[in-house]
Amino acid sequence: MNLFSQKIKLLFILMATLLVFTATRCENGDQDPKEDVYVIMLSMDGFRWDYAERVPTPNLDYIAENGVIAEYLLPGFPTKTFPNHYTMATGLYPDNHGIVNNNFYCEELDMTYRLGDRDAVENEAFYGGEPIWVTAEKQNMTAASYFWVGSEAPVKGIQPTYWKRYDHNFPYENRIDTVIYWLELPIEKRPRLITFYFNEPDSQGHHTGPDSPEVNEKVKYVDSLVGDLMEKISRLPIADQINLIVTSDHGMAKISTEKYVDLTDYVQRDWFEKIHGGNPMFTLRPKQGMKDSVYNLLKGVNHIYTWKTDEIPERLNYGKNPRTLDMIVLADSTWSIGWGEPSERFYSGGTHGWDNAKKDMHTIFYAIGPAFKETHVHPPFEVVDLYPLITHLLNLDPAETDGKLERTIDMLK
Ligand code: AMP
Ligand code: ZN
Ligand code: ZN
């Protein structure tokens, strides 16, 4: 055999080896399992930006010391649970994804959305945009969700491979065990993206107000759950491939019956065809022909803002979606609004939903894992930026969003 044919033979062997190697990689989902990156995003509802400064939170402190902490995270408006969790999932402002409040009316569907209404929450027709688990599943990446808003409906016909129907009282410890169980599944079944939800310290914050000792106890408790989750993650063979983000949807502020505006002092409830939302923000549709008169009556009232939807300040990114109806009325920070005498039950303790520029509405961002810098304090950024950050971490092709990777990229190694 001459040198030339020997070279051809060698080339042939080399190509065959390469082919076998590529085929093996494809069987493993196109990636060497050792290179796989995992992301868990945990939201602890209503965790105000400063809660961890008030009580010992050794586990969140550990993340800050060995990973990233943001000065604060800026939620979208309104600073309520459903709009913001779906913003975190899609990278879109509520106006652009359609979950414009915890409850709203959609004229196009002639249907009302309410967070307590299972049929509505599981109806994909309400959800716009592309949740991150849909982005993942579309690109053949397995995703899981434990109670994240939107994951209970087949948005764009797709749900995360693993998801759970919301069960408010299901024990947190068991939720953590399921997340760990998912991460122990064989590689071909194992989710690479997990969105995970705790409803505390929000529920406690509503009940006793943000400054109560009970909230402090709840903050310590959810911190211990973060510790439990991290400890269980550390025992996994893939521990050093997991990026954990601990974040939340909004803050919390104190309310009282003394700082209350009774809207019926100015307008009558039956002048409206539709009233949606809840303290401190209502979306309104006055009855035909009454829009201007109602607007004029509410416009000058102290401690509230009344805006037609086309005059809402630009920075709130709100009012272009028809689901925001004709006008909104928003209480000034820590003031409340309602229809009639305020009850102690609904107007004491705490709530959220105000202008997102108000400090009390700001929330937290912590992150730790192989992708994140250590001991890095990051400037404030927005909840819309979480989607581009996570798609970047997972090497996914992102959908178009309102978020910006530039605002978070510096926290990565
Ligand atoms: P908010 O009124 O904005 O404080 O909403 C917080 C509440 O939303 C929580 O206490 C839960 O009861 C509820 N919630 C959160 N996620 C879901 C879900 N996926 N399905 C139904 N309710 C939920
Ligand atoms: Zn919330
Ligand atoms: Zn709440």
Side-chain angles (χ1 to χ4, degrees):
M1 205 189 300
N2 64 27
L3 199 65
F4 183 67
S5 60
Q6 230 177 354
K7 261 191 182 162
I8 296 218
K9 199 177 157 198
L10 248 167
L11 201 74
F12 188 77
I13 293 170
L14 198 78
M15 274 169 67
T17 320
L18 244 162
L19 257 169
V20 173
F21 181 67
T22 318
T24 324
R25 278 175 72 94
C26 287
E27 270 168 32
N28 289 336
D30 236 341
Q31 197 126 21
D32 182 337
K34 282 267 171 297
E35 288 167 15
D36 279 352
V37 170
Y38 297 80
V39 174
I40 306 171
M41 173 163 67
L42 168 65
S43 168
M44 307 198 291
D45 200 314
F47 201 113
R48 202 167 76 183
W49 69 279
D50 61 341
Y51 276 175
E53 292 173 8
R54 313 190 321 188
V55 286
T57 48
N59 299 294
L60 290 173
D61 295 351
Y62 178 86
I63 301 183
E65 276 153 32
N66 298 281
V68 174
I69 180 175
E71 282 168 46
Y72 64 84
L73 183 67
L74 182 73
F77 178 78
T79 48
K80 289 281 186 189
T81 298
F82 271 58
N84 271 293
H85 276 95
Y86 201 57
T87 288
M88 294 153 108
T90 57
L92 297 171
Y93 293 118
D95 238 18
N96 296 336
H97 63 53
I99 306 298
V100 297
N101 211 328
N102 284 348
N103 66 79
F104 56 86
Y105 172 70
C106 175
E107 184 147 39
E108 209 187 323
L109 304 167
D110 191 21
M111 281 185 347
T112 299
Y113 184 96
R114 281 193 193 85
L115 67 76
D117 175 349
R118 289 316 314 164
D119 289 342
V121 166
E122 294 182 18
N123 184 348
E124 69 278 12
F126 285 109
Y127 299 90
E130 182 171 295
I132 192 155
W133 50 82
V134 173
T135 309
E137 296 278 354
K138 266 174 47 182
Q139 295 172 45
N140 297 320
M141 182 181 286
T142 304
S145 180
Y146 214 119
F147 294 164
W148 204 278
V149 172
S151 65
E152 295 144 288
V155 181
K156 293 191 164 179
I158 298 172
Q159 269 182 283
T161 301
Y162 311 101
W163 65 278
K164 299 276 178 186
R165 187 164 276 122
Y166 190 69
D167 177 358
H168 191 78
N169 295 317
F170 199 74
Y172 299 108
E173 290 78 0
N174 297 17
R175 301 183 201 185
I176 291 173
D177 288 343
T178 298
V179 165
I180 297 299
Y181 162 79
W182 285 335
L183 292 167
E184 284 171 332
L185 286 170
I187 179 102
E188 66 282 2
K189 291 191 174 153
R190 191 184 306 151
R192 300 256 311 276
L193 165 69
I194 301 176
T195 46
F196 189 17
Y197 173 78
F198 292 164
N199 65 285
E200 292 288 8
D202 177 80
S203 301
Q204 190 66 54
H206 282 288
H207 196 51
T208 50
D211 305 321
S212 61
E214 290 89 341
V215 163
N216 285 348
E217 284 312 304
K218 215 48 110 180
V219 168
K220 284 196 237 168
Y221 174 57
V222 292
D223 177 75
S224 76
L225 294 173
V226 171
D228 184 29
L229 176 65
M230 286 199 297
E231 200 269 320
K232 287 178 173 153
I233 288 174
S234 75
R235 285 194 251 138
L236 295 170
I238 53 165
D240 59 1
Q241 291 157 256
I242 297 177
N243 293 293
L244 173 67
I245 294 171
V246 181
T247 184
S248 178
D249 52 347
H250 52 71
M252 183 68 68
K254 183 174 152 44
I255 52 171
S256 73
T257 51
E258 281 92 65
K259 290 173 88 178
Y260 177 83
V261 176
D262 180 355
L263 297 171
T264 66
D265 288 344
Y266 309 94
V267 291
Q268 289 178 26
R269 224 190 143 123
D270 63 5
W271 293 351
F272 298 89
E273 198 185 297
K274 299 272 178 225
I275 300 175
H276 282 287
N279 183 40
M281 197 277 273
F282 292 98
T283 48
L284 305 169
R285 167 152 300 160
K287 284 187 175 157
Q288 207 166 13
M290 298 192 75
K291 187 169 162 180
D292 286 324
S293 50
V294 160
Y295 175 80
N296 290 331
L297 286 166
L298 290 172
K299 190 69 191 164
V301 176
N302 275 342
H303 311 300
I304 66 171
Y305 301 93
T306 305
W307 290 305
K308 289 182 184 166
T309 41
D310 60 5
E311 59 176 23
I312 297 172
E314 201 65 33
R315 64 185 176 77
L316 295 176
N317 297 294
Y318 201 69
K320 293 196 174 65
N321 193 305
R323 298 176 185 186
T324 60
L325 303 180
D326 298 333
M327 60 176 74
I328 71 167
V329 54
L330 168 70
D332 203 354
S333 183
T334 77
W335 279 78
S336 288
I337 45 174
W339 308 86
E341 282 295 303
S343 65
E344 273 296 327
R345 179 162 172 241
F346 289 115
Y347 292 95
S348 61
T351 199
H352 49 89
W354 290 279
D355 188 335
N356 57 357
K358 304 292 176 187
K359 198 86 194 106
D360 286 346
M361 294 300 101
H362 295 168
T363 184
I364 52 161
F365 175 90
Y366 292 84
I368 188 166
F372 292 98
K373 286 182 180 165
E374 284 159 36
T375 333
H376 175 79
V377 181
H378 201 77
F381 62 98
E382 301 187 32
V383 281
V384 288
D385 301 327
L386 292 169
Y387 175 103
L389 170 66
I390 298 171
T391 47
H392 176 77
L393 290 175
L394 292 172
N395 208 7
L396 288 166
D397 255 343
E400 288 253 336
T401 67
D402 298 317
K404 289 199 169 64
L405 184 60
E406 302 93 273
R407 288 196 287 242
T408 58
I409 195 87
D410 281 350
M411 66 173 68
L412 302 180
K413 272 180 189 158

